[in-house]
Amino acid sequence: GLSMFALLAGCSVTPKPLSSAQLAETADRNFQRVDAEQEPVAAPVDLYEAMARALKYNLDYKVEMMNEALKTREADVSRYDMLPQLVASGGLARRANYSGASSLSLLTRRQSLEPSTSSEKDLFTGDLTLSWDVLDFGLSYVRAKQKADEVLISEEQRRKVANRIIEDVRTAYWRAVSAERLLNKLQSLEDSVTATLSNSQRLAERRLSAPLTALTYQRELVEIQAQVRRLQRELVVAKAQLAALMNLKPGTEFSLVLPDRGTPLPGVQYTGEDMMLTALRNRPELREVSYRQRINAKELDAALLGALPSFRGVLGVNVDSN
């Protein structure tokens, strides 16, 4: 009983969390790999370089690329299911003595032959079977087509992430440019509003202006002050957000190319209807829905094939060697 208890206790498995040292080592290793093999920022960054860096180094985009590669590999593997199945087996039988036998006469009940054997002590057997099922081939073909559509879905998901990254980079870049141009001016404006608000409060305390007029004026100044501070908070983090999108290590110093304000904006070459049709043709979410509809339609074909009787062809070779 004691030995059985010790055996059961030794076979028990309990959760064992990672130690602090192991977690710290993993975090340090991941931190070093975040910006490994990444080109340093050696010149002011313009909009297109920011977009290129985001697409090349952004971790979300890399995840989608790895997912697309995984789906492609799964689709390649699914094609092998359509091939015939080849099964090979072998064995070795060994005896301590010979497998002997003798004959007994049914008439005289006497032994007619002396004990003899027809096999060696060691017997090797081998079997090679090639089978191909028509139903399995049909189901494998349908599944392979579904896997191919899943590859296309992963491509659209990668495109969706790329579009989102481009939009986020464009927004963060122009906000960071605005921050470079406006933060000093906003600080001066806030100082001016604060001084004006103090003067208005002193005038109201000395009864040099009507109370209602002074309070209305002070309320407007407080609203302006709140708007200025909110805009400052939004602009202060814009450059940090842009650095995160480009996958720069926190605290990395870089400057931005400030475009000339006098540069005219490019004209819109398409009508509203053309832009809507372009979006409907190329939007990744809509394409993904279409591919999923094709996968669901093929699932009905798989269900119909599963209801059919199986037809299997088998070709085999058996080998026995003494």
Side-chain angles (χ1 to χ4, degrees), residues 71-85:
K71 293 297 182 182
T72 303
R73 182 63 60 86
E74 291 178 352
D76 293 338
V77 172
S78 66
R79 296 190 182 99
Y80 293 104
D81 294 336
M82 294 184 289
L83 298 177
Q85 296 181 359

PDB file of all heavy atoms in Angstrom, residues 71-85:
ATOM      1  N   LYS A  71      -0.854  29.543 -43.401  1.00  0.00           N
ATOM      2  CA  LYS A  71      -1.989  29.086 -44.202  1.00  0.00           C
ATOM      3  C   LYS A  71      -1.522  28.518 -45.541  1.00  0.00           C
ATOM      4  O   LYS A  71      -2.084  27.534 -46.037  1.00  0.00           O
ATOM      5  CB  LYS A  71      -2.955  30.246 -44.432  1.00  0.00           C
ATOM      6  CG  LYS A  71      -3.652  30.741 -43.167  1.00  0.00           C
ATOM      7  CD  LYS A  71      -4.519  29.667 -42.553  1.00  0.00           C
ATOM      8  CE  LYS A  71      -5.253  30.197 -41.326  1.00  0.00           C
ATOM      9  NZ  LYS A  71      -6.087  29.144 -40.679  1.00  0.00           N
ATOM     10  N   THR A  72      -0.498  29.115 -46.124  1.00  0.00           N
ATOM     11  CA  THR A  72       0.040  28.592 -47.379  1.00  0.00           C
ATOM     12  C   THR A  72       0.630  27.204 -47.179  1.00  0.00           C
ATOM     13  O   THR A  72       0.436  26.302 -48.009  1.00  0.00           O
ATOM     14  CB  THR A  72       1.103  29.552 -47.936  1.00  0.00           C
ATOM     15  OG1 THR A  72       0.520  30.852 -48.114  1.00  0.00           O
ATOM     16  CG2 THR A  72       1.632  29.053 -49.265  1.00  0.00           C
ATOM     17  N   ARG A  73       1.352  27.011 -46.076  1.00  0.00           N
ATOM     18  CA  ARG A  73       1.923  25.690 -45.789  1.00  0.00           C
ATOM     19  C   ARG A  73       0.817  24.649 -45.551  1.00  0.00           C
ATOM     20  O   ARG A  73       0.925  23.506 -46.021  1.00  0.00           O
ATOM     21  CB  ARG A  73       2.841  25.790 -44.571  1.00  0.00           C
ATOM     22  CG  ARG A  73       3.538  24.486 -44.203  1.00  0.00           C
ATOM     23  CD  ARG A  73       4.468  24.026 -45.301  1.00  0.00           C
ATOM     24  NE  ARG A  73       5.508  25.023 -45.553  1.00  0.00           N
ATOM     25  CZ  ARG A  73       6.645  25.059 -44.858  1.00  0.00           C
ATOM     26  NH1 ARG A  73       6.879  24.178 -43.907  1.00  0.00           N
ATOM     27  NH2 ARG A  73       7.563  25.968 -45.157  1.00  0.00           N
ATOM     28  N   GLU A  74      -0.239  25.030 -44.841  1.00  0.00           N
ATOM     29  CA  GLU A  74      -1.351  24.107 -44.612  1.00  0.00           C
ATOM     30  C   GLU A  74      -2.025  23.727 -45.927  1.00  0.00           C
ATOM     31  O   GLU A  74      -2.428  22.574 -46.116  1.00  0.00           O
ATOM     32  CB  GLU A  74      -2.369  24.738 -43.659  1.00  0.00           C
ATOM     33  CG  GLU A  74      -1.871  24.888 -42.231  1.00  0.00           C
ATOM     34  CD  GLU A  74      -2.889  25.563 -41.337  1.00  0.00           C
ATOM     35  OE1 GLU A  74      -3.920  26.044 -41.876  1.00  0.00           O
ATOM     36  OE2 GLU A  74      -2.670  25.620 -40.115  1.00  0.00           O
ATOM     37  N   ALA A  75      -2.144  24.691 -46.845  1.00  0.00           N
ATOM     38  CA  ALA A  75      -2.735  24.383 -48.147  1.00  0.00           C
ATOM     39  C   ALA A  75      -1.846  23.419 -48.929  1.00  0.00           C
ATOM     40  O   ALA A  75      -2.347  22.513 -49.613  1.00  0.00           O
ATOM     41  CB  ALA A  75      -2.959  25.669 -48.937  1.00  0.00           C
ATOM     42  N   ASP A  76      -0.531  23.585 -48.839  1.00  0.00           N
ATOM     43  CA  ASP A  76       0.384  22.663 -49.524  1.00  0.00           C
ATOM     44  C   ASP A  76       0.267  21.255 -48.953  1.00  0.00           C
ATOM     45  O   ASP A  76       0.278  20.265 -49.700  1.00  0.00           O
ATOM     46  CB  ASP A  76       1.818  23.176 -49.402  1.00  0.00           C
ATOM     47  CG  ASP A  76       2.041  24.478 -50.163  1.00  0.00           C
ATOM     48  OD1 ASP A  76       1.257  24.759 -51.086  1.00  0.00           O
ATOM     49  OD2 ASP A  76       2.987  25.210 -49.818  1.00  0.00           O
ATOM     50  N   VAL A  77       0.157  21.165 -47.628  1.00  0.00           N
ATOM     51  CA  VAL A  77       0.053  19.843 -46.998  1.00  0.00           C
ATOM     52  C   VAL A  77      -1.261  19.169 -47.368  1.00  0.00           C
ATOM     53  O   VAL A  77      -1.321  17.944 -47.560  1.00  0.00           O
ATOM     54  CB  VAL A  77       0.190  19.985 -45.468  1.00  0.00           C
ATOM     55  CG1 VAL A  77      -0.102  18.654 -44.769  1.00  0.00           C
ATOM     56  CG2 VAL A  77       1.591  20.460 -45.103  1.00  0.00           C
ATOM     57  N   SER A  78      -2.353  19.955 -47.486  1.00  0.00           N
ATOM     58  CA  SER A  78      -3.660  19.362 -47.787  1.00  0.00           C
ATOM     59  C   SER A  78      -3.685  18.709 -49.162  1.00  0.00           C
ATOM     60  O   SER A  78      -4.491  17.804 -49.405  1.00  0.00           O
ATOM     61  CB  SER A  78      -4.751  20.427 -47.693  1.00  0.00           C
ATOM     62  OG  SER A  78      -4.590  21.415 -48.696  1.00  0.00           O
ATOM     63  N   ARG A  79      -2.817  19.122 -50.068  1.00  0.00           N
ATOM     64  CA  ARG A  79      -2.791  18.503 -51.404  1.00  0.00           C
ATOM     65  C   ARG A  79      -2.318  17.050 -51.348  1.00  0.00           C
ATOM     66  O   ARG A  79      -2.697  16.242 -52.206  1.00  0.00           O
ATOM     67  CB  ARG A  79      -1.884  19.313 -52.331  1.00  0.00           C
ATOM     68  CG  ARG A  79      -2.371  20.738 -52.590  1.00  0.00           C
ATOM     69  CD  ARG A  79      -1.559  21.390 -53.703  1.00  0.00           C
ATOM     70  NE  ARG A  79      -1.979  22.772 -53.927  1.00  0.00           N
ATOM     71  CZ  ARG A  79      -1.359  23.830 -53.442  1.00  0.00           C
ATOM     72  NH1 ARG A  79      -0.280  23.665 -52.702  1.00  0.00           N
ATOM     73  NH2 ARG A  79      -1.798  25.050 -53.687  1.00  0.00           N
ATOM     74  N   TYR A  80      -1.506  16.717 -50.366  1.00  0.00           N
ATOM     75  CA  TYR A  80      -1.015  15.343 -50.270  1.00  0.00           C
ATOM     76  C   TYR A  80      -2.112  14.366 -49.861  1.00  0.00           C
ATOM     77  O   TYR A  80      -1.960  13.153 -50.057  1.00  0.00           O
ATOM     78  CB  TYR A  80       0.143  15.268 -49.274  1.00  0.00           C
ATOM     79  CG  TYR A  80       1.389  16.000 -49.735  1.00  0.00           C
ATOM     80  CD1 TYR A  80       1.745  17.224 -49.202  1.00  0.00           C
ATOM     81  CD2 TYR A  80       2.207  15.453 -50.723  1.00  0.00           C
ATOM     82  CE1 TYR A  80       2.881  17.902 -49.627  1.00  0.00           C
ATOM     83  CE2 TYR A  80       3.349  16.118 -51.156  1.00  0.00           C
ATOM     84  CZ  TYR A  80       3.678  17.340 -50.604  1.00  0.00           C
ATOM     85  OH  TYR A  80       4.793  18.012 -51.036  1.00  0.00           O
ATOM     86  N   ASP A  81      -3.209  14.863 -49.275  1.00  0.00           N
ATOM     87  CA  ASP A  81      -4.302  13.973 -48.899  1.00  0.00           C
ATOM     88  C   ASP A  81      -4.996  13.367 -50.111  1.00  0.00           C
ATOM     89  O   ASP A  81      -5.717  12.368 -49.976  1.00  0.00           O
ATOM     90  CB  ASP A  81      -5.323  14.729 -48.040  1.00  0.00           C
ATOM     91  CG  ASP A  81      -4.742  15.149 -46.699  1.00  0.00           C
ATOM     92  OD1 ASP A  81      -3.778  14.507 -46.253  1.00  0.00           O
ATOM     93  OD2 ASP A  81      -5.253  16.125 -46.096  1.00  0.00           O
ATOM     94  N   MET A  82      -4.834  13.988 -51.288  1.00  0.00           N
ATOM     95  CA  MET A  82      -5.472  13.455 -52.494  1.00  0.00           C
ATOM     96  C   MET A  82      -4.691  12.293 -53.100  1.00  0.00           C
ATOM     97  O   MET A  82      -5.189  11.612 -53.984  1.00  0.00           O
ATOM     98  CB  MET A  82      -5.632  14.578 -53.534  1.00  0.00           C
ATOM     99  CG  MET A  82      -6.597  15.677 -53.113  1.00  0.00           C
ATOM    100  SD  MET A  82      -6.849  16.916 -54.403  1.00  0.00           S
ATOM    101  CE  MET A  82      -5.252  17.741 -54.380  1.00  0.00           C
ATOM    102  N   LEU A  83      -3.469  12.060 -52.659  1.00  0.00           N
ATOM    103  CA  LEU A  83      -2.648  10.985 -53.210  1.00  0.00           C
ATOM    104  C   LEU A  83      -3.054   9.639 -52.615  1.00  0.00           C
ATOM    105  O   LEU A  83      -3.629   9.574 -51.516  1.00  0.00           O
ATOM    106  CB  LEU A  83      -1.169  11.255 -52.916  1.00  0.00           C
ATOM    107  CG  LEU A  83      -0.585  12.528 -53.527  1.00  0.00           C
ATOM    108  CD1 LEU A  83       0.856  12.698 -53.085  1.00  0.00           C
ATOM    109  CD2 LEU A  83      -0.686  12.505 -55.042  1.00  0.00           C
ATOM    110  N   PRO A  84      -2.781   8.526 -53.324  1.00  0.00           N
ATOM    111  CA  PRO A  84      -3.062   7.196 -52.753  1.00  0.00           C
ATOM    112  C   PRO A  84      -2.248   6.961 -51.489  1.00  0.00           C
ATOM    113  O   PRO A  84      -1.156   7.509 -51.317  1.00  0.00           O
ATOM    114  CB  PRO A  84      -2.649   6.238 -53.876  1.00  0.00           C
ATOM    115  CG  PRO A  84      -2.648   7.064 -55.123  1.00  0.00           C
ATOM    116  CD  PRO A  84      -2.275   8.450 -54.708  1.00  0.00           C
ATOM    117  N   GLN A  85      -2.789   6.127 -50.620  1.00  0.00           N
ATOM    118  CA  GLN A  85      -2.119   5.811 -49.365  1.00  0.00           C
ATOM    119  C   GLN A  85      -1.205   4.594 -49.570  1.00  0.00           C
ATOM    120  O   GLN A  85      -1.635   3.576 -50.109  1.00  0.00           O
ATOM    121  CB  GLN A  85      -3.141   5.517 -48.270  1.00  0.00           C
ATOM    122  CG  GLN A  85      -4.004   6.710 -47.913  1.00  0.00           C
ATOM    123  CD  GLN A  85      -4.984   6.392 -46.802  1.00  0.00           C
ATOM    124  OE1 GLN A  85      -5.024   5.263 -46.302  1.00  0.00           O
ATOM    125  NE2 GLN A  85      -5.775   7.375 -46.407  1.00  0.00           N
TER     126      GLN A  85
END
